[in-house]
Amino acid sequence: MIAVRITSDLRTAIIGSPDYFASHAAPVRPEDLQDHACINYRWRGSGALDRWPFMREGEALDMQVEGPLTLNDTDLILAAALDGVGLACLLEDRVAVDVQAGRLVRVLEKYTLTIPGFVLYYAGRRQTPPAPRALIDFLRIEKPGDAGS
């Protein structure tokens, strides 16, 4: 099998709106989330609730959080967080613009977990059909900001 990296590593971000934090103290450690309204993600295929991933002292820690809202669409989760419904756990790249603009506040950053990026695996045969070959060649083109990945 041959691997082609599709994305760089991904980082999670716990975020909330300034309006939310106007009436709630920011969590200092993952366990503090039990005192917060957290927006849950439900996986469409299995129906399971997503557990929020953290890293503490080199060990992965997954937490089940509680809150007033459970959704299966990250756009809706982001909209709810922007509206002050509660805290959300989304990918860093997805919320970076809103954090930079001050529409969202990031918390628990020192516990952020880095998740390995996506990789395409394919059989290392001598002749790959044209359509998969075109995709593989496209994915191998270095994109701006991909240095070292």
Side-chain angles (χ1 to χ4, degrees), residues 27-123:
V28 177
R29 52 197 185 102
E31 292 80 8
D32 295 342
L33 292 171
Q34 68 186 354
D35 299 325
H36 286 272
C38 297
I39 304 165
N40 274 298
Y41 178 84
R42 184 176 303 278
W43 290 96
R44 289 181 181 150
S46 68
L49 289 177
D50 192 34
R51 297 175 63 86
W52 289 16
F54 296 100
M55 182 65 70
R56 181 180 14 230
E57 298 175 7
E59 290 203 28
L61 165 71
D62 289 338
M63 293 190 60
Q64 183 65 56
V65 296
E66 301 292 328
L69 194 57
T70 300
L71 301 164
N72 64 2
D73 183 296
T74 58
D75 289 338
L76 293 176
I77 290 172
L78 178 58
L82 286 164
D83 286 343
V85 172
L87 301 181
C89 178
L90 294 168
L91 291 177
E92 181 180 68
D93 289 350
R94 180 69 176 92
V95 300
V97 170
D98 291 310
V99 170
Q100 188 173 26
R103 292 183 294 267
L104 291 172
V105 176
R106 188 167 180 184
V107 295
L108 301 174
E109 192 165 355
K110 75 178 190 178
Y111 297 100
T112 296
L113 181 68
T114 299
I115 302 166
F118 292 101
V119 177
L120 171 69
Y121 293 95
Y122 68 96

Side-chain angles (χ1 to χ4, degrees), residues 1-3 121-128 133 136 140:
M1 296 299 284
I2 297 173
Y121 293 95
Y122 68 96
R125 298 188 181 127
R126 279 191 278 165
Q127 294 198 11
T128 303
R133 171 56 43 206
I136 292 163
R140 286 195 166 148

